[in-house]
Amino acid sequence: MSDLSAPGFPEEEVRRRARAGAAAAFPPPGEYGRVLFGAEHGGARWQQGEHDPLDTLRITPPVLMPQRLARLIDLGREPDYRDVELTTTIGGFTSALPVYVSALGSTRAAGGDLGLALARQAGALGIPMVIGENVVPVNGYGRQGEAAERALLGRLRAYAEELPDGRGGVAVQQSTEDADAEVWNLVHSDPAALPLLESGRLAFELKLGQGAKPGLGGMTVLDAEAAARVGDRYGLDDVFGDGRVLRSSTPGTFTAEILRQQIRLMRNNFPRVRVWVKLHPGRDVAEAARVAAEAGADAVTVDGAEGGTGWAPDAFPAQVGLPLAECLRRLAAAGTPPCLLVSGRMWEGGRAVKSLALGARAVGLGRAALLATAEDPQAGLIRFAECLALELRLLISALGKYAPAALDRDDVWAPYFPGIPTAG
């Protein structure tokens, strides 16, 4: 899907990484010895004048590094960045990187061959993947003659066929309409999902919201024929006046008690399945995360306002929801959940390391995963992940540490962001 685009996102940088792999972590080698780098501020470079609070933070290596000494003693030699171990437990799954593929649902961009190619590459990488909402109500499950490339079963099989033993896992999201279609029951009883279930690599994700449009449900644009097929399940609005209609999901209704009971019900009905909970960047995100964690969620996912790959009204990405940095600050002040997953404009190692240092267990790739796969459906996401892994190793080792879990808030400096402690 070469015509896929992401205005305002560092699309060309993502595509360059999908083409070049780890080499894209550095300037072009032909410029070595001829070009003097470093004068341009990295955060402002990609934001085109916008100031993302997370980008204003600085990663701050210390001079004295006791953890490097401990690693030296353990290895019997001086350690370097290649000694950083990136394997991470994410929501009950063992992942090759502190990275997962964010929820990609029934939107056209994630459907068809692109969605299958992404699933295959995510499986080969051994990183968890979330299958988003509304795939079954819109495109079917895949057992009744539906187009396999757009159905949920197609993505599930494509991922599982490439998955190494003991790595990765699939989280299947469910919204209100998915619940009506009994999506979790379909997956739980499907022979294709049995290997994942038996190996502890299947999760169900309860969706309370998303970064692209906090407070709203999923939205897509349908032609008249497609709209007629799903009109009994979704809200349809003829806002475009050209035969295409806006299809809207209901966002669902939650209170603290409803959330607790939903998680308990999931644990009771699917005892071998991991429980994930997805939150939008609401002002009470810390309270919602606390309730979910205390009720027994294996992972709590928070989309920052910068997150989201789906269709949304223009006002929402621009003006609605807390930035990811503020979500992380509020979560830290209230007590970060044991397994916090975050997403929002993730595409390079610096932003990921800052998020990990501020309490996240792993970061989610949404737009970046789609763009990298679109650039090369065979290996674009794999090469992109290779570049990201190299950056993570370089940055984590520069801090004198050798695992993502060793990062903490002392590793970032926040001169312009009150509430995050400053290093030193």
Side-chain angles (χ1 to χ4, degrees), residues 334-386:
T336 303
C339 186
L340 173 67
L341 313 181
V342 301
S343 60
R345 206 177 174 85
M346 294 296 166
W347 69 277
E348 51 83 34
R351 191 172 178 86
V353 164
K354 293 171 190 178
S355 298
L356 298 172
L358 295 174
R361 178 73 62 84
V363 299
L365 302 177
R367 299 182 195 96
L370 282 168
L371 288 168
T373 305
E375 181 66 21
D376 182 351
Q378 299 304 314
L381 179 58
I382 291 172
R383 285 195 291 269
F384 176 88
E386 289 171 352

Side-chain angles (χ1 to χ4, degrees), residues 22 27 65 136 146-147 209 232 238 249 255 259 265 306 319 361 378 383 401 403-404 413 418:
M65 299 183 177
V136 172
E146 304 96 345
D232 59 335
D238 185 14
S249 305
T255 64
L259 177 55
L265 187 65
E306 307 90 340
Q319 302 183 65
R361 178 73 62 84
Q378 299 304 314
R383 285 195 291 269
K401 298 178 177 181
W413 179 58

Side-chain angles (χ1 to χ4, degrees), residues 72 159 202 384:
L72 182 155
Y159 179 86
L202 181 64
F384 176 88

Side-chain angles (χ1 to χ4, degrees), residues 4 28 32 41 77 79 93 95 121 133 135 139 145 150 180 195 210 233 255 264 287 290 327 348 356 362 365 371 374:
L4 188 69
Y32 180 72
H41 182 267
R77 59 170 172 78
F93 304 152
S95 177
Q121 293 185 53
E133 64 175 350
V135 177
N139 299 320
R150 301 190 65 85
D180 291 341
Q210 58 195 314
R233 283 162 276 174
T255 64
R264 290 169 185 162
E287 172 65 10
R290 181 191 64 79
C327 292
E348 51 83 34
L356 298 172
L365 302 177
L371 288 168

